[in-house]
């Protein structure tokens, strides 16, 4: 009789684990608290408009990236159209100068040298790094836990051409990357290319690298449609998802996980439990917090998280299709703007007119997003009137700022939607509302080969989420689900199988 696997959460990690477990002959039942799949990979409808809360680009959207193989196996990209953006982001200075972060590296290099001829050397260095790293593809094979010395040697051989650049990027922030340029505008624009100077420079370079090869496009239909494709694959493989089924506890007996208890008091038993949800919530909520791996404890007590975001989006009876890029345009402000507890030097405007499924013809979904601080939102969430008032204030402020750039916009707004760190935390349980996970230090990575996917002292339970595959995101979640099933197959002394539909 096949072993039964109970999975907590139908986000990308849970769906991935479910698909691979079914491919390998396990009976699988996923319990999802909400009524739709995807977790953080989601979008929602407001009137005639769709608001997307996740995907801006997808690593592995075309052959040439290791993740393409995973997306094929999960049935996520077959028949799906992708938009390959010509511009990653733009920064507009107070003096009207514009830096376009072109995804064509030759075009980007020429543009940087035109803007700042004296910084030609710095431009060549940055674009040379992007070109070299364009050939880098994250290895998709065994999880680190199963790698022997020979596997390690093969990986090092594959990584060797990229190590110098990756080490040079390690610990570098967007602000410090900008400091390599002497032109004041270019220096500031590079610091704000990802709209937060504290973000790792790796975020820009390791995104432009695959975009330059057109292997990091945006999937038309957005996040929920992407998750639905994997849900469909799971169903075709014979898996079961129970929606509206919130798990409250992982059940155990004699040091073994034996299933889960649901919010209504019912129990779902199984031979294996995979927690494809928040790491901290699993260890200290679904479990009793008495068994925490030292690596997990180190991260939870001292690890640095990607900041959460505030996203204010609008549906407007206005065609903004002439102002397209992947992330949007950051406008340098004449004076700092206080938004969601932060002082902003730039205001970001993004629209989704490149996806015709998000708005009726002639209309647009447009808005802004900015990094936020959980410490600002945590007390607000305790008072619903204060919380709702802050959301209204943010919507009014953002609507006015967008109107400055697109006159008449404010009068054309038909719907407004503000998502806060509390929104993401409430919907997914993600610790401190973050949409990614850890920003790992070089010291941590030298010290630890991997983040464990098991719980000490408790067998038959696995941790499969982007928390174990940082920095996270959609690829990290999918690879975490795949890796956990590889560990499960190894424990059961059976070969791991993966196949395209």
């Amino acid at each position: 009789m096949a072993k039964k696997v109970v999975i907590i959460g139908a986000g990308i990690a849970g769906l991935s684990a479910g698909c691979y477990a079914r491919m390998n002959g396990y009976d699988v039942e996923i319990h999802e608290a909400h009524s739709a799949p995807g977790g953080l990979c989601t979008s929602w409808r407001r009137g005639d408009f769709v608001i997307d809360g996740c995907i801006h680009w997808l690593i592995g959207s075309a052959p040439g990236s290791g993740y393409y193989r995973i997306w094929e196996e999960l049935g996520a990209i077959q028949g799906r159209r992708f938009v390959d953006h010509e511009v990653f982001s733009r920064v507009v200075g107070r003096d009207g100068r514009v830096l376009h972060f072109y995804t064509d590296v030759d075009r980007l290099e020429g543009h940087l040298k035109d803007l700042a001829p004296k910084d030609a050397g710095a431009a060549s260095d940055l674009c040379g790094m992007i070109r070299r790293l364009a050939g880098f593809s994250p290895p998709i094979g065994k999880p680190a836990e199963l790698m022997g010395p020979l596997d390690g040697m093969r990986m090092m051989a594959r990584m060797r051409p990229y190590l110098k650049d990756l080490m040079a990027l390690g610990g570098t922030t967007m602000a410090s990357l900008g400091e390599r340029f002497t032109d004041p505008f270019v220096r500031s624009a590079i610091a704000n290319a990802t709209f937060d100077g504290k973000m790792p420079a790796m975020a820009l370079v390791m995104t432009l690298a695959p975009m330059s090869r057109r292997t990091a496009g945006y999937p038309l239909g957005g996040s929920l449609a992407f998750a639905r494709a994997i849900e469909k694959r799971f169903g075709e493989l014979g898996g079961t998802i129970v929606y509206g089924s919130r798990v409250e506890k992982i059940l155990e007996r004699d040091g073994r996980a034996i299933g889960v208890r649901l919010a209504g008091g019912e129990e779902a038993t199984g031979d294996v439990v995979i927690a494809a949800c928040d790491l901290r919530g699993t260890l200290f909520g679904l479990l009793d917090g008495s068994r925490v791996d030292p690596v997990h404890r180190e991260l939870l007590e001292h690890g640095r998280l990607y900041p959460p975001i505030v996203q204010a989006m609008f549906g407007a009876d206005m065609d903004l299709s002439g102002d397209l890029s992947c992330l949007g345009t950051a406008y340098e402000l004449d004076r700092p703007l206080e938004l969601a507890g932060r002082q902003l030097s730039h205001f970001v405007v993004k629209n989704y007119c490149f996806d015709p499924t998000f708005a009726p013809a002639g209309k647009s979904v447009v808005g802004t997003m900015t990094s936020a601080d959980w410490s600002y939102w945590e007390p607000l969430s305790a008072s619903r009137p204060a919380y709702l008032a802050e959301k209204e204030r943010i919507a009014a402020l953002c609507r006015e700022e967008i109107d400055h750039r697109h006159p008449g916009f404010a009068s054309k707004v038909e719907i407004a939607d503000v998502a806060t760190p509390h929104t993401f935390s409430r919907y997914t349980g993600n610790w401190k509302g973050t949409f990614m996970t850890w920003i790992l230090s070089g010291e941590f990575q030298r010290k630890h080969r991997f983040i464990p996917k098991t719980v000490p002292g408790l067998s038959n339970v696995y941790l499969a989420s982007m928390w174990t595959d940082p920095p996270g995101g959609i690829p990290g979640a999918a690879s975490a689900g795949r890796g956990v099933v590889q560990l499960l197959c190894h424990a059961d002394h059976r070969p791991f199988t993966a196949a395209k539909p």
Side-chain angles (χ1 to χ4, degrees), residues 24 35 62 74 135 140 171 210 234 238 302 310 388 396 415 429 441 444 476 490:
N24 286 276
S35 58
L74 294 177
I140 304 299
F234 178 63
H302 306 293
V310 172
L388 293 177
I415 64 99
S441 66
F444 179 91
H490 179 77

Side-chain angles (χ1 to χ4, degrees), residues 208-278:
L208 286 177
M211 281 188 169
S212 71
R213 300 180 63 200
R214 294 183 173 265
T215 60
Y218 164 84
L220 286 172
S223 300
L224 184 56
F226 183 79
R228 288 283 190 199
I230 306 177
E231 174 197 47
K232 181 173 181 287
R233 170 73 165 140
F234 178 63
E236 290 170 346
L237 286 165
T240 300
I241 302 181
V242 184
Y243 287 110
S245 182
R246 183 178 296 277
V247 173
E248 285 196 338
K249 214 71 180 173
I250 294 175
L251 302 174
E252 54 183 283
R253 181 185 302 136
D254 300 326
R256 296 175 61 252
I258 59 168
V260 298
R261 185 172 69 242
L262 307 175
E266 307 95 330
E267 294 184 355
T269 59
D271 302 289
V272 176
V273 173
I274 297 177
C277 47
D278 181 73

Side-chain angles (χ1 to χ4, degrees), residues 480-497:
R482 192 179 196 270
V484 154
V485 176
Q486 288 175 287
L487 294 176
L488 176 57
C489 289
H490 179 77
D492 288 339
H493 306 289
R494 59 194 299 173
F496 172 79
T497 300

